[in-house]
């Protein structure tokens, strides 16, 4: 039995960092990724397509999304499609899953307890749904298979222990412990929820198949799981992401004016494509005037979007305070008073830099070091 498994596509996600059009383009890319997954399923002649939840965003889906999903899965009929709703696409009274008249090849698990479907002689798939957006108990609690043969599970849940600790920022929806898989009589669990792919002998988290946020270092993939007659599995990964998303660090140390900052950013992204986030780092002189607003309209033609943020950018020590002290200006008087104040060297530097930037109307996100 050959199953193509994916999870956590998150159709209609918001993409808060993006402009309205950029966000719309990213959502369109997620749809293209699902079509790519279906194409792989067809080309590999799998026996079924499985989704471990968070297929879409319940709070944001549109009628257009509903029709897209109906038509996309209908196009691959009679290939069976098994959907196990997660905490973002939970199965409820107004769920998209209830609003679609699915083609006969689509099965949506709709109970909070694992229920069985026979895939082949001696092979059973157990699936369940989140029926609320939060507080779903573990599907493996008090569960045990009630028949012979090979048993697979399909659900959206968070493995506890060290595995959960590795997934930063994840809420433990439908929690379970990995050892419960074998104890319950299951041979393997096809899962969703963790966006970073994680695999072991008895479970598969495929990860999100296309990039949802900057900083993701893994390749989006669907996983072809081949199940033997004894329950042993093998896996093959198929890249399905249609997006190119990159993170770049740019060192600003040594720049003397804002134009050089722009030049360094543009040089860093010259050979890239898709969506790029640039993180600015380094030590700047106090007179370098760089602001995030400067980059809002800066997107070269080779990119779909450019996002710039401050990392560990700091204001470097100035050697020109004695020169500033002699100015017949408010700024000169300020420097004169601070240099003569009873402060430690570190305190004096921080007061000088903060004050000079304030006098130049430049209270921004830069750290004062």
């Amino acid at each position: 039995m050959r199953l193509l498994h994916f999870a956590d596509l998150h159709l209609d996600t918001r993409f808060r960092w993006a402009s309205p059009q950029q966000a719309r383009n990213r959502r369109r890319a997620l749809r293209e990724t699902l079509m790519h997954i279906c194409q792989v399923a067809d080309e590999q002649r799998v026996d079924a397509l499985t989704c471990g939840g968070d297929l879409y965003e319940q709070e944001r889906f549109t009628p257009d999304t509903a029709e897209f999903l109906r038509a996309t899965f209908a196009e691959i009929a009679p290939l069976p499609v098994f959907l196990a709703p997660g905490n973002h696409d939970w199965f409820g009274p107004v769920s998209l899953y209830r609003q679609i008249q699915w083609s006969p090849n689509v099965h949506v698990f709709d109970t909070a307890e694992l229920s069985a479907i026979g895939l082949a002689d001696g092979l059973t798939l157990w699936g369940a749904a989140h029926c609320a957006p939060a507080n779903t108990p573990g599907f493996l609690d008090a569960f045990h298979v009630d028949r012979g043969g090979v048993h697979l599970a399909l659900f959206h849940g968070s493995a506890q222990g060290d595995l959960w600790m590795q997934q930063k920022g994840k809420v433990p929806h439908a929690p379970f412990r990995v050892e419960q898989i074998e104890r319950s009589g299951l041979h393997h669990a096809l899962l969703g929820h963790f966006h970073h792919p994680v695999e072991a002998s008895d479970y598969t988290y495929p990860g999100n198949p296309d990039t949802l946020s900057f900083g993701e270092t893994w390749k989006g993939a669907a996983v072809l799981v081949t199940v033997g007659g004894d329950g042993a599995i093998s896996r093959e990964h198929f890249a399905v992401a249609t997006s190119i998303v990159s993170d770049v660090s740019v060192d600003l140390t040594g720049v003397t004016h804002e134009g050089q900052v722009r030049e360094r950013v543009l040089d860093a992204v010259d050979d890239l494509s898709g969506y790029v986030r640039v993180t600015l780092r380094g030590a700047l002189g106090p007179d370098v005037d760089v602001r995030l607003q400067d980059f809002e309209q800066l997107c070269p033609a080779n990119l779909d979007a450019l996002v710039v943020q401050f990392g560990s950018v700091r204001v470097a020590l100035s050697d020109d305070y004695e020169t500033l002290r002699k100015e017949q200006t408010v700024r000169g008087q300020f420097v004169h008073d601070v240099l003569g104040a009873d402060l430690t060297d570190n305190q004096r530097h921080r007061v000088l830099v903060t004050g000079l930037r304030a006098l130049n109307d430049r209270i921004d996100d830069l750290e004062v070091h």
Side-chain angles (χ1 to χ4, degrees):
M1 176 67 68
R2 288 156 53 86
L3 308 173
L4 187 66
H5 180 54
F6 76 100
D8 299 289
L9 183 60
H10 288 272
L11 293 175
D12 290 337
T13 196
R14 188 181 297 274
F15 293 108
R16 297 177 185 275
W17 57 266
S19 70
Q21 186 59 51
Q22 291 168 349
R24 183 176 176 82
N25 292 342
R26 292 295 301 119
R27 289 191 285 271
R28 183 180 297 115
L30 295 183
R31 291 191 180 194
E32 292 171 356
T33 294
L34 180 58
M35 291 188 288
H36 192 187
I37 291 170
C38 292
Q39 179 183 348
V40 171
D42 179 64
E43 292 173 349
Q44 295 301 313
R45 299 184 181 278
V46 301
D47 297 296
L49 178 65
T50 62
C51 177
D54 285 2
L55 176 60
Y56 69 92
E57 297 277 349
Q58 171 63 29
E59 302 303 320
R60 290 184 49 80
F61 81 87
T62 65
D64 190 80
T65 300
E67 174 56 21
F68 165 73
L69 285 172
R70 186 207 64 76
T72 299
F73 291 142
E75 287 174 2
I76 60 174
L79 178 69
V81 178
F82 297 101
L83 308 175
N87 58 290
H88 281 279
D89 59 344
W90 57 284
F91 190 88
V94 295
S95 167
L96 176 152
Y97 292 120
R98 286 186 181 273
Q99 299 181 24
I100 296 176
Q101 186 173 351
W102 296 101
S103 50
N105 63 313
V106 177
H107 179 85
V108 180
F109 290 100
D110 58 4
T111 64
E113 299 79 32
L114 290 167
S115 61
I117 287 185
L119 294 182
D121 290 342
L123 178 59
T124 302
L125 177 67
W126 297 83
H130 287 247
C131 295
N135 303 316
T136 298
F139 296 116
L140 299 182
D141 296 345
F143 169 78
H144 199 279
V145 301
D146 60 0
R147 65 202 74 181
V150 174
H151 298 272
L152 307 175
L154 175 66
F155 63 85
H156 193 85
S158 50
Q160 299 299 280
D162 292 341
L163 184 57
W164 177 71
M165 294 297 291
Q166 295 170 16
Q167 304 288 328
K168 295 180 180 179
K170 298 303 289 181
V171 176
H173 293 284
F176 68 96
R177 301 196 70 85
V178 170
E179 55 264 28
Q180 287 182 279
I181 297 173
E182 183 178 359
R183 289 177 185 172
S184 66
L186 294 166
H187 292 79
H188 199 80
L190 303 172
L191 302 171
H193 187 52
F194 291 164
H195 288 186
H196 192 296
V198 188
E199 298 175 353
S201 59
D202 48 3
Y203 63 84
T204 298
Y205 279 103
N208 50 302
D210 205 332
T211 305
L212 296 171
S213 61
F214 289 108
E216 296 179 3
T217 57
W218 53 93
K219 301 286 187 181
V223 182
L224 176 56
V225 179
T226 301
V227 186
D230 59 354
I233 66 105
S234 62
R235 284 175 288 236
E236 187 176 357
H237 300 79
F238 289 86
V240 293
T242 57
S243 306
I244 300 175
V245 180
S246 306
D247 265 287
V248 177
S249 178
V250 174
D251 187 359
L252 302 182
T253 301
V255 302
T256 59
H257 59 83
E258 182 269 340
Q260 291 177 337
V261 176
R262 293 166 63 90
E263 290 174 4
R264 290 199 183 185
V265 169
L266 291 174
D267 286 345
V269 303
D270 184 57
D271 294 329
L272 301 178
S273 60
Y275 299 80
V276 178
R277 180 176 67 178
V278 169
T279 301
L280 303 179
R281 306 185 185 281
L284 294 175
D287 292 331
V288 179
D289 187 2
V290 56
R291 314 181 191 205
L292 291 182
Q293 303 93 294
D294 299 337
F295 303 96
E296 290 179 353
Q297 304 301 320
L298 182 66
C299 184
N302 56 301
L303 300 184
D304 294 312
L306 174 65
V307 177
V308 179
Q309 67 176 8
F310 286 131
S312 56
V313 178
R314 62 191 186 277
V315 179
L317 182 65
S318 172
D319 296 325
D320 297 327
Y321 290 146
E322 286 298 331
T323 301
L324 295 177
R325 179 182 201 166
K326 300 174 183 177
E327 288 184 355
Q328 299 299 309
T329 63
V330 172
R331 184 172 69 170
Q333 185 62 50
F334 167 73
V335 173
H336 179 275
D337 292 344
V338 174
L339 290 178
D342 184 16
L343 300 170
T344 66
D345 289 343
N346 182 60
Q347 289 172 333
R348 180 176 292 104
H349 171 60
R350 294 177 66 87
V351 170
L352 282 167
V353 170
T354 302
L356 289 172
R357 298 180 73 81
L359 286 169
N360 288 327
D361 191 27
R362 293 175 55 218
I363 297 298
D364 49 30
D365 297 327
L366 299 188
E367 301 174 40
V368 178
H369 285 191

